[in-house]
Amino acid sequence: MANKLETTKTLFSEEIKEITNSPKNWLSFLDTASSNYKYSFSNQVLIYAQRPDAIACADIDTWNRKLHRWIKKGAKGIVLLENNDTGYILRHVFDISDTFDKFGREVDIWKLNEKNSNEIIDDLESSFGSLEMKDNLSQAIISASYNLVEDNFIDYFNELKEVIQDSFLEDLDEDTLNY
């Protein structure tokens, strides 16, 4: 088990380097991560490393008990890391493509469309204030991001100034850091 744990940690480290190696790799990762948003970043990286085409992952109990789907014979689980009180342990999940329903029922996977795009823009505006640009979802996300940064910049900047010692930022003056 310790060997599998170390192998999984190594897989994570190697995949992080690969994902951040190019914008194309990063966008590919984000595509998979967006379908598995309920998982931590590190587990999203592990899902991507093992099954970049995964669109809906869950553990075997969730598939069986909540969704009434069964894991196909021979399906290989996706190994994740879970941090508990004693350190990391391994956990396995399966993608929807690894499952079947005895009665042929399909699982409705949420997808972005024009209808819910407008609802998301409204939610962004109610959560992050008036949006300067909101003709489409991309613009609305950018505007919400600007609002969020503007609202929190001073707090984050003050925290940053407290931890710059012994970093590349240490020699920069406050105006340069503020920029």
Side-chain angles (χ1 to χ4, degrees), residues 20-60:
T20 58
N21 193 31
S22 75
K24 181 181 176 188
N25 294 356
W26 180 250
L27 290 173
S28 181
F29 162 72
L30 290 178
D31 191 40
T32 301
S34 69
S35 296
N36 294 286
Y37 58 89
K38 292 183 179 182
Y39 291 93
S40 67
F41 174 75
S42 47
N43 282 333
Q44 288 175 337
V45 169
L46 288 169
I47 290 169
Y48 179 74
Q50 297 166 75
R51 295 283 297 276
D53 60 338
I55 57 168
C57 293
D59 60 37
I60 197 166

Side-chain angles (χ1 to χ4, degrees), residues 144-162:
S145 299
Y146 281 127
N147 290 354
L148 188 60
V149 168
E150 190 175 294
D151 290 346
N152 296 288
F153 178 78
I154 297 299
D155 295 334
Y156 293 143
F157 184 66
N158 289 333
E159 287 179 29
L160 175 67
K161 289 190 299 188
E162 293 175 12

Side-chain angles (χ1 to χ4, degrees), residues 110-127:
W110 184 87
K111 291 185 181 178
L112 180 63
N113 60 39
E114 191 62 37
K115 178 185 165 230
N116 52 28
S117 179
N118 292 331
E119 291 174 17
I120 293 169
I121 292 170
D122 292 343
D123 285 348
L124 285 171
E125 192 156 42
S126 66
S127 296

Side-chain angles (χ1 to χ4, degrees), residues 4-114:
K4 183 79 168 174
L5 182 62
E6 290 307 314
T7 301
T8 304
K9 287 180 180 179
T10 301
L11 175 64
F12 171 79
S13 297
E14 291 172 356
E15 194 62 31
I16 282 289
K17 291 175 190 168
E18 189 64 30
I19 288 169
T20 58
N21 193 31
S22 75
K24 181 181 176 188
N25 294 356
W26 180 250
L27 290 173
S28 181
F29 162 72
L30 290 178
D31 191 40
T32 301
S34 69
S35 296
N36 294 286
Y37 58 89
K38 292 183 179 182
Y39 291 93
S40 67
F41 174 75
S42 47
N43 282 333
Q44 288 175 337
V45 169
L46 288 169
I47 290 169
Y48 179 74
Q50 297 166 75
R51 295 283 297 276
D53 60 338
I55 57 168
C57 293
D59 60 37
I60 197 166
D61 286 339
T62 301
W63 284 122
N64 292 165
R65 293 185 181 154
K66 291 183 181 175
L67 298 168
H68 308 290
R69 295 185 69 82
W70 310 103
I71 306 302
K72 294 175 184 173
K73 185 176 181 176
K76 184 178 178 199
I78 301 167
V79 181
L80 304 181
L81 291 171
E82 193 163 298
N83 195 358
N84 66 12
D85 296 337
T86 60
Y88 286 102
I89 59 170
L90 298 177
R91 179 175 157 220
H92 292 81
V93 296
F94 295 86
D95 182 51
I96 190 169
S97 63
D98 297 323
T99 70
F100 70 95
D101 182 284
K102 292 177 185 176
F103 304 105
R105 296 172 292 199
E106 295 295 319
V107 175
D108 190 21
I109 305 291
W110 184 87
K111 291 185 181 178
L112 180 63
N113 60 39
E114 191 62 37

